[in-house]
Amino acid sequence: MHVPTLMLASVLAFGSGYCEGLKTPTEPPACDTVAGAYKLSHSNSCNRSGNAIAATVTQSGCAFRAELEGLGTLSGTLKGSKADVTLAFTTPCGGTATGTATRDGHSVTGSYAGTQTGTGCCASVAGTFTLSQ
């Protein structure tokens, strides 16, 4: 066998096995931990707001949930420090909104837009919230 042919055969034999070991494992994406006690501040386009309201965020894996007094139930799934969120409004307003949230240090900030139902509630609503530790 010719030397260059032997080298090529060796490289091909080694290379095919080597690349097999570099497959990417299918692991869930890492996410921040947001569980804990917070103070909620929020405001929206319907002139509703709140400040320094006690709130607790629970988390299972990367999914989290919080009952936000005066606002509703916030839920989402973190991808790193960011999440797409859903806000289900509570009494006196029904309806839902979607938005985004970001964990930054000891706070989670976000915005949302959606629709509300109920007497004295805005059909279309947009707002912001901050959960601070």
Side-chain angles (χ1 to χ4, degrees), residues 68-86:
L68 306 179
E69 183 181 325
L71 195 55
T73 302
L74 180 72
S75 60
T77 301
L78 287 156
K79 293 178 183 144
S81 62
K82 299 183 185 291
D84 290 328
V85 296
T86 300

Side-chain angles (χ1 to χ4, degrees), residues 28-34 59 61-62 64 77-83 101-104:
C31 58
D32 284 3
T33 299
V34 295
Q59 185 171 348
C62 292
F64 66 93
T77 301
L78 287 156
K79 293 178 183 144
S81 62
K82 299 183 185 291
T102 303
R103 169 133 176 121
D104 184 17

